[in-house]
Amino acid sequence: MEATITLLPGDGIGPEIVAEAKKVLTAVAHRYHHTFHLPEYIYGGAAIDELGDPLPEETLAACLNSQGVLMGAVGHPKFDDPTLKVRPEQGLLRLRQALGVFANLRPVKVFDALADASPLKPERVQGVDILFVRELIGGIYFGTPQGRTVGEHGREGFNTMRYNEMEIRRVVQVAFDLARKRRGKVTSVDKANVLAVSRVWREVAHEVAAENPDVQYEDILVDAMAMYLINRPADFDVVVTGNLFGDILSDEASMITGSLGMLPSAALGEAGGVGLYEPIHGSAPDIAGQGIANPLATILSAAMLLRSSLNLDEEAGVVETAVSQVLAAGYRTRDIARPGENVVGCTEMGDLVANVIAGEKYG
Ligand code: IPM
Ligand code: MG
């Protein structure tokens, strides 16, 4: 196979972790005789510094012309000033919208080798395997009107949470299709007791549920869901929700595993579109450039890309197995290491995984 995967290293630890994912993709290409073109484009805060735009035209064009996009991270504290007009995160939001990736898949699964990293009691964590499906290009992130004004009581800011039934239906349908291949249960999360937008969401979700009677369905209010994720996380299979609730709940859920540095994600649109893959952790500017970042979430995101954008199931499985094997052999980056464990740096971790793929166990 010949494929182009656009790499967007971005900010903070982005360049370090994407370099390791690139190594892994190259090892896969070598082993399976594929040709992967892996061009890198400037993006995020780095692109603001250089070109004044977090998503330069050339970068967007390259993304649109590829089979998949693998991103590191965006964001840097120097752009934290709330009065700034141009911010790295705008690049990400524009990219998601331009690619039309409405369904954000965020799996939350505990790696056997890291089971005791969770801050929750082991019996709660056992069997946790949740797939979040977060709506990604609608809701309050994009709804209009939005902006700021000055009213009777001074400055005012406003956003609009808005969903139409087309947007709801397509993402809820994705959740049902995924659930059918897993444990057959969908949980839809909303705030229908208060928000009009959630009542439409729930109505449409019920219609989709009625069309998919082979899959179990429930809806849960977002505040209750925040509790259930802590006290009974193993009860959930596929969880579908809107953009803002999904942003918050998927971060909460990532803590169940205790290893944020391990969690990949995929953002998908209509069949045949370009998928966007990224680790769910941020740019971690505090540890950037020190060679200690964990590249595994990015490597696992590359595996999701192989599976979902290139239909390379076997290759994706080989990457995932390689990661599990390296962990099982005791190697850890600093963020997932406990006292006495074998700590390796970002580059070494990438080498270890690439070597397993190449068939040379542990370099
Ligand atoms: C995420 C991030 C982004 C979001 C930011 C960086 C714009 O938090 O992917 O969850 O809010 O969607
Ligand atoms: Mg987030």
Side-chain angles (χ1 to χ4, degrees):
M1 162 179 294
E2 182 165 356
T4 300
I5 299 167
T6 300
L7 305 178
L8 303 180
D11 304 322
I13 58 171
E16 302 160 57
I17 56 182
V18 168
E20 299 317 307
K22 185 175 184 176
K23 208 181 264 174
V24 166
L25 286 169
T26 305
V28 169
H30 194 77
R31 171 160 165 185
Y32 288 92
H33 309 291
H34 298 309
T35 304
F36 292 157
H37 304 287
L38 303 168
E40 286 179 31
Y41 282 83
I42 187 165
Y43 173 65
I48 297 179
D49 287 342
E50 214 165 290
L51 301 164
D53 181 355
L55 182 64
E57 222 171 285
E58 220 191 314
T59 299
L60 177 58
C63 293
L64 288 166
N65 279 317
S66 51
Q67 275 74 57
V69 178
L70 182 65
M71 193 194 118
V74 282
H76 194 277
K78 77 176 178 207
F79 299 103
D80 279 352
D81 175 357
T83 64
L84 284 181
K85 288 244 153 55
V86 184
R87 331 169 63 82
E89 289 79 3
Q90 291 163 344
L92 177 55
L93 298 183
R94 271 167 48 208
L95 180 59
R96 288 171 175 170
Q97 212 172 29
L99 296 177
V101 287
F102 61 82
N104 187 198
L105 279 45
R106 298 186 163 192
V108 174
K109 203 174 161 175
V110 179
F111 278 77
D112 290 343
L114 303 177
D116 47 16
S118 173
L120 301 184
K121 293 198 180 81
E123 61 269 26
R124 293 249 158 97
V125 175
Q126 216 184 27
V128 169
D129 181 2
I130 308 173
L131 178 57
F132 273 86
V133 179
R134 168 192 177 195
E135 199 291 325
L136 201 57
I137 55 174
I140 198 167
Y141 272 52
F142 295 94
T144 52
Q146 60 157 294
R148 56 188 292 160
T149 183
V150 180
E152 199 187 330
H153 301 288
R155 286 162 294 178
E156 256 175 65
F158 52 94
N159 291 84
T160 304
M161 195 188 283
R162 181 185 284 269
Y163 273 115
N164 62 47
E165 60 180 292
M166 179 277 292
E167 294 170 312
I168 302 165
R169 182 172 291 277
R170 66 184 179 184
V171 74
V172 173
Q173 186 61 54
V174 167
F176 275 88
D177 293 342
L178 291 164
R180 192 168 283 121
K181 292 186 244 158
R182 293 168 46 99
R183 300 195 306 283
K185 181 177 168 191
V186 169
T187 302
S188 170
V189 177
D190 62 37
K191 186 69 185 173
N193 55 344
V194 175
L195 302 178
V197 57
S198 281
R199 287 193 283 273
V200 175
W201 179 285
R202 191 176 281 209
E203 229 172 81
V204 176
H206 283 200
E207 288 162 17
V208 179
E211 291 157 18
N212 295 270
D214 56 318
V215 173
Q216 213 189 318
Y217 175 83
E218 66 181 349
D219 25 50
I220 293 184
L221 295 170
V222 62
D223 50 349
M225 188 65 182
M227 296 193 297
Y228 299 153
L229 281 173
I230 303 301
N231 70 6
R232 52 182 187 90
D235 287 358
F236 302 104
D237 180 16
V238 177
V239 176
V240 63
T241 188
N243 209 339
L244 181 62
F245 299 157
D247 180 45
I248 299 167
L249 292 178
S250 64
D251 264 24
E252 183 193 357
S254 75
M255 279 294 111
I256 298 169
T257 69
S259 33
L260 187 59
M262 298 298 303
L263 301 176
S265 78
L268 307 173
E270 302 297 347
V274 182
L276 172 64
Y277 301 81
E278 51 173 312
I280 82 155
H281 61 70
S283 57
D286 52 321
I287 60 160
Q290 297 175 34
I292 57 173
N294 183 349
L296 294 176
T298 316
I299 290 170
L300 292 167
S301 300
M304 290 185 90
L305 186 155
L306 293 171
R307 182 177 290 114
S308 299
S309 285
L310 305 183
N311 275 316
L312 297 175
D313 275 331
E314 184 183 336
E315 288 83 337
V318 161
V319 173
E320 288 161 354
T321 306
V323 169
S324 297
Q325 282 179 16
V326 168
L327 291 173
Y331 296 101
R332 302 282 187 272
T333 44
R334 204 190 58 166
D335 58 308
I336 51 173
R338 290 179 319 152
E341 283 183 329
N342 191 357
V343 176
V344 298
C346 184
T347 318
E348 286 162 278
M349 187 52 104
D351 286 339
L352 286 161
V353 176
N355 287 344
V356 174
I357 294 167
E360 306 158 27
K361 253 195 160 186
Y362 315 128

